[in-house]
C-alpha cells in the first residue's frame, strides 16, 4: 500500500482499523504516545493526532505497513 492509497480514507477510519487489528495495548507499544497508553479513546486520540503531524505520520505509516487479515 502506498501513501496515495490513503487518499479518501479518514484518520478516524485508519485509527479504528488499527485499534481493531492491534488493540490499544499493542498499538501503544508500536507507537509510544500517551493517548494510546493512558485511558485511550478514538475521540481523544483523533484530537491529539490532528494537532501533532509527527504522530499522525507514524499512525499512517503503521497503517500502510500493516497486513490486515480481513
Amino acid at each position: 500500500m502506498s501513501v496515495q492509497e490513503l487518499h479518501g480514507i479518514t484518520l478516524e477510519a485508519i485509527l479504528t482499523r488499527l485499534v481493531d487489528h492491534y488493540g490499544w495495548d499493542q498499538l501503544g507499544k508500536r507507537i509510544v504516545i500517551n493517548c494510546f497508553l493512558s485511558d485511550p479513546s478514538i475521540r481523544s486520540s483523533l484530537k491529539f493526532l490532528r494537532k501533532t503531524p509527527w504522530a499522525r505520520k507514524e499512525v499512517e505509516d503503521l497503517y500502510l505497513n500493516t497486513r490486515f487479515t480481513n
Side-chain angles (χ1 to χ4, degrees):
M1 194 175 257
S2 69
V3 173
Q4 289 82 10
E5 293 180 72
L6 288 178
H7 183 72
I9 302 174
T10 65
L11 182 57
E12 183 174 5
I14 291 170
L15 183 58
T16 300
R17 185 104 191 254
L18 288 172
V19 170
D20 288 346
H21 185 77
Y22 291 110
W24 288 111
D25 219 27
Q26 284 299 311
L27 191 55
K29 288 179 182 175
R30 292 173 183 273
I31 304 172
V32 182
I33 51 178
N34 196 39
C35 66
F36 293 166
L37 299 170
S38 177
D39 195 27
S41 72
I42 296 290
R43 186 175 179 196
S44 67
S45 297
L46 286 173
K47 186 175 179 179
F48 175 78
L49 292 171
R50 287 181 178 131
K51 290 193 266 183
T52 315
W54 66 265
R56 181 181 182 142
K57 181 174 180 351
E58 287 202 27
V59 168
E60 291 172 344
D61 288 348
L62 178 60
Y63 181 83
L64 291 171
N65 293 314
T66 297
R67 294 181 185 234
F68 295 101
T69 54
N70 51 3

